Amino acid sequence: MRKHEMLLPGERVAAGISGGADSVCLLFVLAEWKKRYGSEVAAVHVNHGIRREAAEDARFVEELCKSLGIPFYLRETDVHVLARERKLSVEEAGRNFRYQAFREAAEDFGAKRIAVAHNLNDRGETMLFNLFRGTGLKGLAGIMPVRDNVIRPLLCVERREIEEYLKAKGQTFCTDTTNEDDEYTRNRIRHHILPYVEKEIVSGCVKHMGQTAEIAAEAEDYLEQQTGEAYAQCAEHTEKDGYVLDCAQVSALHPAISKRLLFKLLKELSPGAKDISSVHVAAVYDLFLRSGNREIVLPFGIKARREYAKVRLETGSSVIPEPEHHLEFQVFSAEELPVNDKNSVIFPENQYTKWFDYDKIIRPLKLRTRSTGDYLMILGADGAAHHKKLKDYMVNEKIPERERDRIPILAEDAHVLWVVGHRISEYYKITANTKRVLQVQWITDCMEDKDGRAY
C-alpha cells in the first residue's frame, strides 16, 4: 500500500467485503491501516441473490464490521434478472452491479478510493486467461495494483498465505459455493490449470507469474509514455476530425511504437474501440510499408488512405451509401451532461441527435436499413419497457410502407438503438446510473427540427 501510495493518511476508503477469506483479510488490513494512519474505512457487501446462504454471509460481514467499528453498507439485487434485462452474462452483470454498488457507497461515505480483495492468484489467473485469448503487455500484466480510484492491497499476497493468516488469528470466513463451479472459465483455470502447473511443472508458479506481471506492467508504462511522445510528434489533426501522418516519420519509429500509435488513433476515431483489433492495426500499418495510393475501410466506417507520402485516418459512413448522410459518434462522461437549475439532465430536443448509455452497448453497432427480427424496447402503459417488433412500431406510427425500407436504423445485432428521425429504444436511455454517454448525430446536408423547419 505504501509502495503504490494506495491510501494516504486520513483518506477514506470503501472496501468490497463478500465475507470470503480474501475480503475478510482485506478488512483486517484496512482496520490496521486505520489504527496506524487515521484513515476511515467502510465495508460494502453485495448480495447477488444467487445462493440461499447469501443472507447469512451478509449477517456475518455486518457482525464482523460491528466488532471492528467499521460502517457497513448492504446492496442487494437479483443478478439473473439483471443479466436477462441487460443481455449480459451472469458473471458480467454481477461484476457491473458490484462496482456500481461500490461507487455509490464510496460517494455516500465520502471516500475517494475503493478497495477490492484481488490477490496474487487472481492476477495469475487473469494473466493466463488473457494469454490464451491473445494479448499484449497490458493483458500480460493482468490485474493492476491501482487503476483509477480502485486499489488492491492484497495483490502481492497468495491465497494460501491469506488463509494461513486467518487461521493463525482464529478468524472464520464464508465459503462461496459458486467459486467451486467449473462453469466459469476463471474457475477452471483456478481448479485445474494452476494446481497442475504448481505440482507437475514448477513450484511457486504464482509468485513467478506475479514477478512477470510486474515486469510487463513497467514495460507497458514505458511504451505508453513513448507512444504519447510519438502521438505529439507525428499525429496531425485534420479538419474532418481525423489524423494525417507522415510515412517517413512513422516508419522511423520502432514497430512496437508505431503500431501502438496507430491503435491509439483508431481508438480515438471509434466509439470506444470495441471493434478495433490487432488485425486492423496491421492492415493500417501495411499502408506505411508499401508505396502506392490505397485505401482500407475499418469498423465504424473509419477509412485509412495512403496518399503519396501521407496516410490519412478519417471517420465516415458505415453502411448508408448516400454521401450527404453520415453518423458522428462521441463518447463522454455522464458528469459532462448539461443539467438545469434543478439538477435534471437537459436532453437534446433535436430528433437527429441522440444520447445512449454507452456501457449497455456490448456488440458492434451497425448503421443499416431494417431487417427481419428487428425490435426495440418501448415504454408501456404500466411504466415498464416491453419488447416490440420494429415492423409493428412502424405500423403503429403510420410510417408509409414505401418509406420503411429507406429509414436508417442504428442497431446492436437485432436490437434497434435508434430509428433515425424517430425514437430510440427504452433500454439504451440515459439513467441516474449512467457513467458513460454515447452521443450519435445523424448528419445530412439538410436536416429538419421537430417542427419540420429545415436548417
Side-chain angles (χ1 to χ4, degrees):
M1 289 178 72
R2 284 193 294 267
K3 175 183 177 182
H4 294 283
E5 297 183 338
M6 291 184 179
L7 196 60
L8 301 178
E11 280 190 332
R12 292 188 163 213
V13 60
I17 308 297
S18 67
D22 300 343
S23 65
V24 170
C25 178
L26 173 64
L27 195 61
F28 279 108
V29 168
L30 294 176
E32 183 63 29
W33 190 271
K34 176 183 176 181
K35 289 180 187 176
R36 296 187 187 187
Y37 303 106
S39 298
E40 292 297 323
V41 183
V44 189
H45 180 82
V46 177
N47 180 350
H48 297 91
I50 297 178
R51 300 175 295 116
R52 291 185 212 165
E53 62 270 26
E56 296 176 13
D57 293 353
R59 284 193 293 271
F60 170 83
V61 175
E62 186 174 13
E63 290 300 318
L64 182 59
C65 289
K66 283 182 181 177
S67 69
L68 295 172
I70 290 174
F72 172 77
Y73 290 83
L74 175 63
R75 296 290 184 270
E76 297 178 294
T77 189
D78 186 327
V79 74
H80 286 288
V81 172
L82 199 65
R84 285 196 299 271
E85 288 177 349
R86 301 186 178 180
K87 297 185 177 181
L88 302 173
S89 67
V90 171
E91 194 173 17
E92 187 175 5
R95 182 186 182 280
N96 291 347
F97 182 80
R98 278 197 305 278
Y99 278 90
Q100 177 64 29
F102 296 161
R103 287 191 292 268
E104 290 174 355
E107 183 177 358
D108 183 74
F109 187 60
K112 293 183 178 178
R113 300 279 189 169
I114 294 169
V116 291
H118 292 115
N119 59 46
L120 196 56
N121 291 66
D122 294 317
R123 193 176 201 180
E125 292 160 11
T126 302
M127 288 176 67
L128 290 179
F129 184 66
N130 291 341
L131 184 63
F132 297 155
R133 294 188 304 170
T135 188
L137 283 174
K138 189 173 184 178
L140 196 59
I143 304 170
M144 300 300 291
V146 178
R147 178 162 290 165
D148 299 326
N149 68 329
V150 177
I151 62 173
R152 298 177 172 87
L154 301 183
L155 202 59
C156 60
V157 184
E158 290 187 59
R159 186 172 290 120
R160 169 186 55 81
E161 296 175 285
I162 289 171
E163 293 178 358
E164 289 174 356
Y165 165 77
L166 294 177
K167 184 178 180 181
K169 288 180 71 68
Q171 176 61 51
T172 59
F173 53 87
C174 304
T175 301
D176 186 344
T177 54
T178 61
N179 287 335
E180 306 303 317
D181 189 349
D182 277 354
E183 178 184 349
Y184 302 114
T185 303
R186 184 178 295 277
N187 284 357
R188 294 197 290 274
I189 295 173
R190 177 179 301 169
H191 298 152
H192 304 291
I193 297 177
L194 280 178
Y196 179 85
V197 174
E198 176 72 27
K199 182 179 179 182
E200 302 292 342
I201 299 179
V202 58
S203 178
C205 65
V206 172
K207 283 277 189 197
H208 300 151
M209 292 172 71
Q211 293 165 358
T212 300
E214 289 294 326
I215 294 170
E218 288 181 353
E220 168 68 20
D221 187 60
Y222 172 74
L223 290 174
E224 188 62 22
Q225 183 182 34
Q226 294 299 305
T227 303
E229 293 180 7
Y231 179 92
Q233 294 171 3
C234 302
E236 178 185 342
H237 278 279
T238 69
E239 293 180 358
K240 296 183 179 180
D241 291 330
Y243 295 94
V244 60
L245 301 105
D246 182 90
C247 292
Q249 275 188 318
V250 174
S251 298
L253 299 171
H254 190 283
I257 302 301
S258 55
K259 290 177 182 178
R260 290 173 68 96
L261 172 61
L262 294 176
F263 183 55
K264 179 180 178 69
L265 297 178
L266 292 176
K267 282 198 301 182
E268 291 189 5
L269 293 176
S270 67
K274 291 189 183 229
D275 263 353
I276 302 300
S277 69
S278 58
V279 173
H280 305 118
V281 173
V284 177
Y285 183 63
D286 187 62
L287 294 177
F288 292 88
L289 302 181
R290 294 189 293 141
S291 60
N293 297 343
R294 290 172 292 139
E295 181 181 284
I296 58 175
V297 179
L298 304 171
F300 299 106
I302 299 171
K303 292 182 180 179
R305 185 169 67 255
R306 171 82 184 244
E307 295 178 346
Y308 303 104
K310 305 280 186 182
V311 168
R312 292 182 177 274
L313 301 176
E314 295 175 345
T315 56
S317 176
S318 342
V319 177
I320 303 297
E322 293 89 340
E324 67 273 24
H325 299 148
H326 68 278
L327 286 182
E328 288 187 356
F329 296 86
Q330 180 184 354
V331 178
F332 57 91
S333 168
E335 295 176 355
E336 299 175 42
L337 289 171
V339 294
N340 59 24
D341 54 2
K342 295 182 180 179
N343 205 36
S344 297
V345 174
I346 304 171
F347 289 94
E349 294 184 357
N350 184 347
Q351 67 187 106
Y352 293 100
T353 299
K354 298 298 178 184
W355 289 343
F356 305 91
D357 188 324
Y358 179 67
D359 293 308
K360 290 182 179 178
I361 301 170
I362 307 302
R363 289 172 291 278
L365 299 183
K366 290 185 179 179
L367 178 64
R368 55 176 175 79
T369 52
R370 66 173 180 159
S371 181
T372 302
D374 284 347
Y375 71 96
L376 65 165
M377 303 300 289
I378 302 290
L379 201 62
D382 58 357
H386 298 277
H387 182 288
K388 193 175 190 69
K389 291 181 180 179
L390 178 61
K391 179 180 179 180
D392 293 342
Y393 165 75
M394 289 183 165
V395 170
N396 291 346
E397 290 298 305
K398 297 181 173 55
I399 297 174
E401 189 169 356
R402 64 182 180 277
E403 294 181 17
R404 295 174 193 170
D405 288 328
R406 299 173 53 196
I407 296 176
I409 302 297
L410 181 64
E412 181 184 25
D413 292 342
H415 192 162
V416 175
L417 279 78
W418 183 18
V419 182
V420 178
H422 297 271
R423 69 168 301 141
I424 69 174
S425 176
E426 201 70 23
Y427 173 77
Y428 296 97
K429 283 188 175 180
I430 305 298
T431 69
N433 296 324
T434 299
K435 294 301 175 184
R436 291 185 294 174
V437 175
L438 173 64
Q439 176 180 289
V440 183
Q441 286 183 289
W442 173 250
I443 307 297
T444 179
D445 283 348
C446 180
M447 296 194 295
E448 296 178 348
D449 62 19
K450 63 178 182 178
D451 297 318
R453 293 186 294 265
Y455 67 94

